[in-house]
Amino acid sequence: MQDIHLYKGAIFYFTDSPSEKNEASVYISDGALVVENGIVLETAPYNKLKHKYTNVQVVDYSGYLIMPGLIDAHVHYPQTEMIGMYGRQLLDWLSEYTFPVEIAFNSFDHALKIAHSFIRELLRNGTTSCVAYSTVHTTSVDALFQAASDCNMRIITGKTLMDQNAPESLLESVKICERESMELIEKWHHTGRNSYAIAPRFAITSSPGQLRMAARLHELFPDTYIQTHLSENENEIKNALAIHPPHSDYLDVYEKAGLITNRTLLGHCIHLSESEINRLASACAIAVHCPTSNLFLGSGLFDMQRFNLANVQTVIATDVGAGTSFSMFKTMGAAYTIAQQTGYAMPVLETFYKSTLGTAKALALDDKIGSFKPGNEADFIVVDLAATPIQQIRSDFLKQNAKWTIENQLFGLQIQGDDRNIIATYLMGKKVY
Ligand code: GUN
Ligand code: ZN
């Protein structure tokens, strides 16, 4: 049965990268988004569409901004409960809080409970897709895929792989994790809106044999993703190189294992040499910037401009629970603050692109999510640009001075926005928040 909805409001989305094209986005102040059976039909000025769609359901969001849902490219769902734990720097924080919390995910019931809380938190914050870490337990992967499927959310996750330097109950032999990973890929990859990410946690917790096995799995299932962590913290780098001799640098550990591909997401990438950055560019790998996490754990300052100049694909992510907020607006604000410390006043459109269409493109999912291109899945959010008194004062000031541009609207969200700005979240045309 035909099911067409017309959502009336201001419309914003990207069509291209704003760093590559001047006209890379669409903004329609009195617009409409038309959705049929969960798929985008078109966007245009409301006055143009109201005559074409006379017999459809109109949902009036006049005064609000309708934009594609945000995509969080690196987040740990088992760390939902332990957000904001005082853990000093990365390696202490992992051993004191993170590993103990992850042990409990061998219980499917516990994992499902946290997965539902996690997804609720994403949706409240306007995040409609994510690339998430689970734990080593198959139960944790089953739980997250199931919770996402329950609300038809597009999600990428997979079993975390560890076989050394973590508590015994989180370690698995290469043989067992290979078999379990294959079973999970066959069970979940491409079922509904689910995709699988092969996830060796990082060089410290994986033996060379496990890293090579992860690469072999990806060769067997080349449209899965690979995700891991790279060069987040100085002590991590020293330890990784001591554990994996003889490698010229941290990236080389993963390269030699065969893990660096155009479907590989590398969290953090803070302390990289020129050579490492250039090799990421040659491989078309994806560097994932996690700004609130880097500030929280004192990991260092990601240098966005270096990556841009070297043509490395970069995307933005929360990295909860080291990240301090589920809000991609807050995360983008932190990305701006960090970029400023490195001498780069990152343009607002770049930040939003790297949280929507840019991430979808990096994931080769731009024919499905990240924009309102006709035929895409209708994952979108409705945003109140003046949800707090100070945001109202700011927007009044900009309107009075004829400066209520889309850039100033989005920058206000980036610097002052959070969950309070999200009025509604839709997944494939269905209101889920
Ligand atoms: N490196 C390896 N595991 C983790 C993790 O869970 N969080 C962060 N921030 N870095 C990591
Ligand atoms: Zn992480």
Side-chain angles (χ1 to χ4, degrees):
M1 202 181 72
Q2 199 188 43
D3 169 25
I4 300 184
H5 283 73
L6 182 150
Y7 300 90
K8 184 173 182 291
I11 303 287
F12 175 77
Y13 62 97
F14 289 99
T15 51
D16 285 289
S17 162
S19 316
E20 285 162 21
K21 264 197 175 174
N22 282 336
E23 301 285 313
S25 59
V26 171
Y27 174 60
I28 314 168
S29 55
D30 293 303
L33 163 70
V34 187
V35 174
E36 180 180 26
N37 296 324
I39 300 294
V40 174
L41 271 187
E42 61 179 317
T43 58
Y46 173 69
N47 280 340
K48 225 169 120 186
L49 293 179
K50 72 179 178 194
H51 305 295
K52 184 168 169 188
Y53 298 99
T54 50
N55 216 356
V56 304
Q57 295 203 49
V58 176
V59 184
D60 192 356
Y61 285 123
S62 298
Y64 297 123
L65 182 69
I66 302 173
M67 60 175 281
L70 303 159
I71 307 171
D72 187 343
H74 179 129
V75 58
H76 297 254
Y77 103 85
Q79 296 171 17
T80 300
E81 297 164 285
M82 51 156 288
I83 189 168
M85 295 292 172
Y86 180 78
R88 304 187 300 280
Q89 291 217 340
L90 174 68
L91 299 180
D92 302 313
W93 176 85
L94 281 174
S95 55
E96 281 175 33
Y97 290 102
T98 316
F99 293 151
V101 162
E102 293 191 3
I103 289 170
F105 285 73
N106 64 352
S107 152
F108 178 76
D109 290 347
H110 174 72
L112 191 62
K113 186 180 114 207
I114 301 295
H116 278 300
S117 306
F118 169 77
I119 287 178
R120 215 172 19 253
E121 205 55 36
L122 293 180
L123 297 174
R124 284 187 59 245
N125 281 282
T127 299
T128 51
S129 263
C130 69
V131 187
Y133 281 81
S134 297
T135 65
V136 298
H137 313 97
T138 55
T139 42
S140 79
V141 182
D142 283 337
L144 186 57
F145 275 133
Q146 171 157 349
S149 304
D150 287 348
C151 63
N152 203 22
M153 174 187 249
R154 183 167 280 288
I155 201 159
I156 301 171
T157 191
K159 190 176 152 59
T160 295
L161 308 175
M162 295 200 274
D163 67 347
Q164 59 183 25
N165 297 316
E168 197 58 37
S169 60
L170 293 178
L171 305 180
E172 282 180 333
S173 73
V174 172
K175 231 187 170 132
I176 288 178
C177 61
E178 180 169 28
R179 178 172 48 78
E180 290 186 353
S181 298
M182 285 177 75
E183 286 168 4
L184 285 167
I185 292 169
E186 271 152 17
K187 181 169 177 187
W188 291 110
H189 189 48
H190 293 327
T191 58
R193 303 185 81 195
N194 303 312
S195 304
Y196 197 88
I198 297 159
R201 184 176 208 126
F202 66 156
I204 293 180
T205 48
S206 284
S207 66
Q210 191 180 55
L211 295 177
R212 284 196 302 274
M213 178 278 285
R216 267 201 318 275
L217 264 183
H218 180 68
E219 272 168 35
L220 266 180
F221 301 95
D223 62 355
T224 56
Y225 299 91
I226 295 171
Q227 65 171 344
T228 187
H229 296 82
L230 174 67
S231 287
E232 174 177 3
N233 170 289
E234 306 272 14
N235 281 333
E236 171 211 7
I237 299 168
K238 268 189 227 135
N239 277 337
L241 290 176
I243 291 167
H244 293 272
H247 286 282
S248 51
D249 51 40
Y250 196 160
L251 180 61
D252 190 52
V253 177
Y254 297 143
E255 282 173 332
K256 292 273 158 57
L259 286 167
I260 302 302
T261 75
N262 63 356
R263 295 177 78 88
T264 304
L265 298 119
L266 296 143
H268 304 291
C269 296
I270 299 173
H271 309 283
L272 297 183
S273 65
E274 269 332 284
S275 160
E276 286 173 297
I277 290 187
N278 289 332
R279 279 144 53 206
L280 288 181
S282 306
C284 296
I286 307 154
V288 186
H289 177 28
C290 307
T292 70
S293 164
N294 299 161
L295 292 171
F296 180 68
L297 289 178
S299 302
L301 301 176
F302 182 89
D303 191 341
M304 182 63 84
Q305 214 171 3
R306 271 180 93 203
F307 288 80
N308 287 350
L309 290 171
N311 277 322
V312 180
Q313 303 186 81
T314 49
V315 297
I316 293 174
T318 64
D319 192 32
V320 162
T324 49
S325 172
F326 276 90
S327 168
M328 285 298 290
F329 293 152
K330 282 199 156 197
T331 307
M332 289 185 235
Y336 180 77
T337 308
I338 288 182
Q340 284 282 53
Q341 307 315 304
T342 66
Y344 182 47
M346 182 161 45
V348 60
L349 292 181
E350 178 181 342
T351 325
F352 270 79
Y353 178 74
K354 290 177 178 180
S355 306
T356 54
L357 180 60
T359 309
K361 274 210 165 130
L363 297 169
L365 287 174
D366 50 311
D367 60 340
K368 295 189 169 58
I369 55 171
S371 81
F372 291 150
K373 191 168 74 173
N376 270 19
E377 299 163 352
D379 288 354
F380 62 95
I381 55 178
V382 183
V383 180
D384 182 355
L385 292 156
T388 66
I390 192 64
Q391 289 173 3
Q392 185 68 59
I393 289 169
R394 181 183 181 277
S395 76
D396 290 346
F397 165 79
L398 287 168
K399 282 175 188 165
Q400 280 155 19
N401 290 281
K403 287 187 174 161
W404 191 233
T405 60
I406 184 63
E407 286 88 348
N408 278 336
Q409 293 174 36
L410 295 176
F411 198 57
L413 288 176
Q414 179 179 343
I415 301 304
Q416 303 226 291
D418 54 32
D419 53 311
R420 291 170 295 183
N421 296 88
I422 306 297
I423 297 298
T425 303
Y426 287 77
L427 295 176
M428 290 200 78
K430 182 154 179 263
K431 191 171 174 187
V432 286
Y433 168 72

